[in-house]
Amino acid sequence: MGGVNRTRTTSGGPAGANLGVVRSHNTALVLGLLRAAGAAGISRLELAERTGLTPQAVSKITARLRESGLAAEAGRRASTGGKPRTVLRLVPEAGHAVGVHLDRDELRVVLVDLDGTVVGERRGELDLGAGAEAVLGAVGDVVEGLVTAVLGRAGDEPSAAAGGDAGARGLPRIPSLLGVGVALPGPLDHARGVLHRVTGFPEWDGFPLRDALAGRLGVPVVVDKDTNAAALGLSVAGAEGGAGGSFAYLHLGTGLGAGLVLGGGVHRGARTGAGEFGHQVLQLDGPRCECGNRGCVEVLCLAAVADGETAEAARVLGVAAGNLVGLLDIDVVLLGGRTVAAAPEAYARGVGEVLDARARREGTAGGPVPVRVAERGERVVAEGAAQLLLAPLFGRADG
């Protein structure tokens, strides 16, 4: 499954931080500001001003965060009057989350710290149609191997939820580990962690992936669509839409889907079915799609990809993106996924040309919607999956 890519270790850090201290909305607000401030840090007075909390409340919250190892002093800052202010910062290595991208033919797993920095990664081939037992076994083995290699220590026992004895399978007891976020093709019910009829793999319909994997690993598990996870990760990282705006993330890989950020938050829909972008019909008498319809944008786009016709695939993707832009009036279109990564300039140019032509025909105020390739490359879904656990910690209700 490939080697571990360590970009930071926890040597000397507070690996035993008590993440249970984050138990209130106000604490999450403070943590969010600490993370946004970065290494430069932020003073208690600034925290009070930006959260609207009293200085006394901020002092109590930051004292708990320091005691738990989640915050630390970052020096002092000159004051306009009185003594210099103590500046606090987030301790990134105090917490970790695993992000899993479960694709139709590939598994990618990352381990990130509280800043979202990837500290370890593994990837390999996977057959989503091999059955639940085989898939869960593969995911469990890779997650356990990565976490143990980066964070584990010899002699650690598996978590109690995994059996409670040293011979039980599951992750070792690592206090800094929040849990595992899993992102995969939909449709699915992210609230219950239950899969529906995954396109091309109807045998997964009704499978309780969240509970099954949590039982296997012994830690909390969150499940969401790959496109929703990617959109959340991009929004948290500061992509357009993170501060009240909107964007569509279009993911073209083994399938095609969309993640929508509207008003600064991920839009999943009342029945968690939003973003099934690939199954809008563009050609009524077109080729049959695996979803059962004919002429879906996914089947048309993937057929062009298979034929090596990148320009045509980009044009089809652009037509579908134009429908989405016309419906939601979003600010920007971001492109990602394995197929886009193979020819990023061609896809950005092709989709952009279609949107430009549409804007000229319609006389759209402000001109065409910009099209860009999403940052974070092929890890965008896996990193976003980790944010399914981290985002609520920092006050993101849509995490």
Side-chain angles (χ1 to χ4, degrees), residues 96-153:
H96 298 86
V98 175
V100 176
H101 181 190
L102 194 59
D103 208 345
R104 294 171 174 87
D105 61 357
E106 183 182 78
L107 173 65
R108 185 186 294 268
V109 180
V110 299
L111 180 69
V112 307
D113 64 17
L114 292 180
D115 265 342
T117 300
V118 175
V119 298
E121 177 181 9
R122 286 185 176 178
R123 61 179 294 193
E125 295 180 355
L126 179 79
D127 179 7
L128 193 58
E133 183 176 352
V135 171
L136 289 179
V139 173
D141 288 346
V142 176
V143 169
E144 289 165 10
L146 176 61
V147 171
T148 301
V150 178
L151 300 178
R153 297 173 297 278

Side-chain angles (χ1 to χ4, degrees), residues 282 310-326 333 346-362 364 367-371:
L282 295 186
T310 301
E312 175 62 11
R315 187 185 71 84
V316 172
L317 184 59
V319 171
N323 293 340
L324 187 63
V325 169
V333 171
Y347 279 99
R349 181 175 60 253
V351 173
E353 288 173 353
V354 176
L355 295 187
D356 287 354
R358 178 172 180 147
R360 286 195 300 271
R361 288 195 308 271
E362 298 176 352
T364 305
V369 170
V371 178

